[in-house]
Amino acid sequence: MCGIIGIVGNQPVAMRLVDALKRLEYRGYDSAGIATLVDNQIARSRAEGKLVNLENRLAAEPLSGAIGIGHTRWATHGAPTERNAHPHATEQVAIVHNGIIENFAELRTELEAEGVKFQSDTDTETVAQLVARNIRSGDAPVEAVRKVLGRLRGAFALAFLFTGENEMLVAARRGSPLAIGYGEGEMFLGSDAIALAPFTDKISYLEDGDWAVLTRDSVTVYDEGNHPVTRVVQQSSGAAYVVNKGNYRHFMEKEVYEQPEVISRTLAHYLDFSSSSIRTDVNNIDWSKINRMAMSACGTAYYAATIGKYWMERYARLPVEIDIASEFRYREMPLSTDTLALFVSQSGETADTLASLRYCRSQGLPIAAVVNVRESTIARESDIVLPTLAGPEIGVASTKAFTCQLSVLASLALSAAKARGTITPAEEKELVDQLGNLSGVLHEALKLAPKVEAICRDLMNVKDVLYLGRGTSYPLALEGALKLKEISYIHAEGYAAGELKHGPIALIDETMPVIVIAPFDRLYEKTVSNMQEVAARGGRIILITDKEGAKHANVDAHSVLIMPDVPEFISPLVYALPIQMLAYYTAVFMGTDVDQPRNLAKSVTVE
Ligand code: F6R
C-alpha cells in the first residue's frame, strides 16, 4: 500500500526521490519521507500528510547526498504522524517498508528487553532495530539484513540505506512488489515501473523471497535460499505513460472522460470489428475442458466480476461462483480442475486477490486474470493474462479500469459462448456489433454531465443515499454506492431492487434520495414496481433510464436522467458513466479530495 523508492546515484538524489514519490502517491498519502547519506551519515526529512508537505520542507531545508531512499505511506501500524513516517532510522541504518511485519510485536518485545528504545509505533522500526543490532554486533550490513529477513513473517518490500555505505542499497521482497531499475552508473529500486519511468526503462522484477544488493554499477539478486539468481531485465512500458491531468481538474475527471477511447482500445484487442467476430487467438483457454468458473476480486473489481458472472451464465451457460477475495481465500471451497479460476484486479497487486489466486494454484486449477498492470504479480502468476488497456489509473476511485474490466469480461463471455456453441454466428455478430457501437454511445452519455451536476447540487446536502438496480444494474448499484461513499463520504448502500421490501424500505422517508438504475429492458417493469413502493413512502427518486423508461415510469421522480438507448447486453458499460459522474460532481461540490480520498490507497497490498 505504501510506495517505496531508492537511488544509488551519481548526482543529488533528494528531489529525484520526491519526483518518483509523486508517481507513487496513489499507493498512500498519509505521510512521506526520504533519507540520504550526508558525509556518510544518515540524514532524514519527513512530513505528515501529502507529499507537498515534504516538498515544502525540503525547499526550506534541502538534503544533499547522491544515495537515498524514499517513502509515501498508507498507515497500517501507528497513526499517520511524522513520528511514524518512514524512513525509520537508527544510527546504523535507515529503512523504508511496504507491507506488514506480522510478528513485529514479539520482535519488539525481544528488542525492548535488551534495552532498545523505539522512536515510533510502527512494525517497520522493528526491522531497522534488528538490523542495527546485528551491525553493532559486528555483522557487515548485507549479512545483517540477510539474517533479519529470515526472522520476518508477513508481506513486505524493504529498502535499506546504511551509514558509511555511499554506494550500496539493499532491497528485499516477500509478498509486496519491488522492481529494480538499471541506469548508467546508477541503479534504482521502486514499487513499480511507473515510479522508475523518469530514470530508466530497463527493469527487472524481484520474485517472491528475493533480495538484492544494488551498487552504482551492479545488481546482485539472491533467492529465498540466498543463492545468487538472474532475473530478466525487460524493457518497461512505464516510461511511455504521461502521468498528468491535462486540462482536467482531477485525474478522476480525466479518467472518466478517457473511457470511450480506452474501452474501444480494450475491446479491439479481443474483438474484430471489421468482421464482427470474436478474436479466438487472444486467450488460450480450452473451453472444452472448463465446466464452471470461480471468480474473485475486491471492491470495484469485484463488482465488475459480478457483472461478468451475469454475462457468462446468460450467454455462455457456464456456472460461475463469485466471491470477495478476502472471503474466498479462507473459505476453503472444494474446487475441481475443470474450473477456470478468474481474478480481476486493476493493480494486479491486491493482497487478498493474490492469496486467492495462490490458493487456486495449490488446487491445480487453470488461472486467468483480468489485469491493468501487465507487469504485476497477479499477471505474472497467471496462466492466462487478459489485459485491460486502460493505461495508468491514478485517481484512487476506479473508473476507466472498471469499464475496461467490463469490456474484457463481456468479450470473454462471448468467446466462451462461441466455443461452447451457446450463441449462433448471427448472435455473435449482433453482440460484437453492439460492443463496436459503444464509443459513440459513451460520448453521448458523457454529454449528460451538466444534468448530473444539477442533481449533485442537491445530493451534496444529504446524509444517506440508496442505490437500486436489477440484473446487471444490481452490481452497478453496488458500484454506484461505493463510488459515492469513497469520494464524497456520503453514506450510500446498493441493493437489488427486489430486496428493498425485505428490510431497507424501512429507511425510506422524504429526506432519502433513492437512485434507481433502470434501463428499459426485460426487468424494467419489476424495477418500476419497486420504485413505486419508494414513491408511495415519500422517497426522493432519482431515475437513470432511457426515453422509453422515462415514458413508462409512472412515478413522480425528483430527477430523471435520460440515457441514450442501448441494448441490454452493453447497458452496464454505459450506465457506469452517470454513476461515476454523480459521485464525482457531488465530491467536487463538497470540496473533498477527489483523487486522494481520506483513509484510502490505490493499491491494497495488505490483508
Ligand atoms: C474503488 C476501488 C477499489 C478497488 C479494489 C481492488 O474505487 O478502486 O475498491 O477496486 O481495491 O483493487 P484492484 O483492482 O487493484 O485489485
Side-chain angles (χ1 to χ4, degrees), residues 199-277:
F199 311 130
T200 179
D201 58 0
K202 290 199 196 70
I203 305 281
S204 71
Y205 292 92
L206 293 188
E207 291 186 8
D208 230 18
D210 282 358
W211 59 283
V213 179
L214 285 74
T215 70
R216 278 169 48 179
D217 307 306
S218 69
V219 176
T220 316
V221 182
Y222 301 89
D223 65 12
E224 205 157 8
N226 302 318
H227 307 296
V229 281
T230 308
R231 301 292 175 223
V232 185
V233 180
Q234 331 173 354
Q235 194 81 18
S236 155
S237 50
Y241 297 133
V242 182
V243 183
N244 67 45
K245 290 197 274 255
N247 291 329
Y248 292 95
R249 276 174 294 180
H250 299 100
F251 279 109
M252 182 177 173
E253 186 184 27
K254 174 173 176 247
E255 288 159 5
V256 165
Y257 280 86
E258 273 172 4
Q259 289 179 103
E261 190 193 329
V262 294
I263 289 172
S264 302
R265 195 197 306 160
T266 301
L267 287 169
H269 183 76
Y270 296 94
L271 307 171
D272 182 350
F273 292 122
S274 59
S275 61
S276 302
S277 61

Side-chain angles (χ1 to χ4, degrees), residues 297-302 344-350 353 378 393 395-399 405 479 482-483 486 601-604:
C298 301
T300 289
Y302 169 75
V344 182
S345 175
Q346 187 283 128
S347 62
E349 302 294 350
T350 302
T353 311
I378 288 178
E393 190 180 62
V396 163
S398 188
T399 51
Q405 286 161 354
E479 169 62 2
L482 173 63
K483 223 61 330 155
E486 75 180 317
K602 186 76 183 157
S603 176
V604 186

